[in-house]
Amino acid sequence: MTPFSTEAWAANATAYETIRTMPFNAELAAGTLSRARFTHYIVQDAHYLMGFGRALALAAAKAPHPDRIVQFARAAETAIVVERALHGGFFRDYGIQPETFAATPLSPPCDHYVSYLLATAYAEPYEVVLGALLPCFWIYAEVGKDIFSRAGADNPYRAWIDTYAGEEFGEAVAAMIAATDEAAVDASPKILARMHHAYAQATRLEWLFWDGAYREAVWPV
């Protein structure tokens, strides 16, 4: 039986290639991404991680096995504590004050993505929740490794690149893939279809998030 992750990646390979080569990531790899665009991204990503952490906590609550409860509870902690420390470094470097961050609303793409993950985490069964959460882990790791292979040592976004191309994050991604494949083994055909839909939708939202950062998207009204 082909693992869910293999099928999901193959079905969304074109979308991943679009993400990998989109202007935001191409310029990030080259070190030419504007400070304004990266600032927009890092503020929105900090907002996103709060929602992502909540969705992971809900996955922990729905997990059928103790090991998976611990895995997702720790992943929620990592999303909020560890990765926000990375953002905090950029906040200090870029002079983004806590009150400025707090006063900045979620952009339309960020709001859409967070709302989708939380709605899925609340309303869908465990298997489908994992299908929705997996792209954020996996695509970030693959994009991070790709950018790492192209970026120079003096790239101004080196801290971001090293984090998502790093071994520790890679281990978290492998654990997420394993958990999702495990959940899919005994899933019914209907649940599998919903898992694939969730994975595809989250992949689209990954693209939308980076595109919104590149455009510095804000609410038009």
Side-chain angles (χ1 to χ4, degrees), residues 4-5 7-9 11-12 15 112-113 116-117 119-121 123-125 127-136 139 180 184 187-206:
F4 170 83
S5 60
E7 292 183 345
W9 187 268
N12 293 274
H112 188 172
Y113 200 175
Y116 173 73
L117 289 180
T120 301
E124 293 286 0
E127 298 88 348
V128 180
V129 177
L130 300 199
L133 291 170
L134 180 56
C136 183
I139 291 174
T180 308
S188 69
K190 287 185 178 180
I191 292 296
L192 277 173
R194 285 158 67 181
M195 289 179 72
H196 278 290
H197 175 78
Y199 184 98
Q201 183 69 357
T203 299
R204 296 184 192 104
L205 290 168
E206 284 290 315

Side-chain angles (χ1 to χ4, degrees), residues 18-106:
T18 301
I19 291 169
R20 186 186 73 81
T21 58
M22 66 193 304
F24 185 95
N25 288 324
E27 293 180 17
L28 182 62
T32 59
L33 185 69
S34 73
R35 186 185 181 98
R37 283 171 169 151
F38 190 78
T39 298
H40 182 97
Y41 162 80
I42 212 72
V43 168
Q44 291 302 317
D45 201 42
H47 279 304
Y48 168 83
L49 286 173
M50 293 293 290
F52 188 59
R54 290 188 176 99
L56 286 165
L58 289 165
K62 292 185 174 185
H65 307 301
D67 287 349
R68 297 307 182 195
I69 295 172
V70 172
Q71 176 184 340
F72 293 117
R74 287 177 175 168
E77 179 184 18
T78 298
I80 294 175
V81 177
V82 178
E83 292 195 49
R84 284 189 73 195
L86 171 69
H87 292 74
F90 280 114
F91 280 17
R92 289 190 298 273
D93 293 345
Y94 289 14
I96 302 169
Q97 301 300 318
E99 55 270 22
T100 302
F101 167 71
T104 303
L106 277 66

Side-chain angles (χ1 to χ4, degrees), residues 28-29 31 38 86 90 94 144-166:
L28 182 62
F38 190 78
L86 171 69
F90 280 114
Y94 289 14
K145 287 187 289 187
D146 178 73
I147 290 176
F148 182 85
S149 71
R150 295 185 281 152
D154 59 346
N155 190 298
Y157 306 117
R158 194 81 229 179
W160 186 96
I161 296 166
D162 289 347
T163 295
Y164 293 110

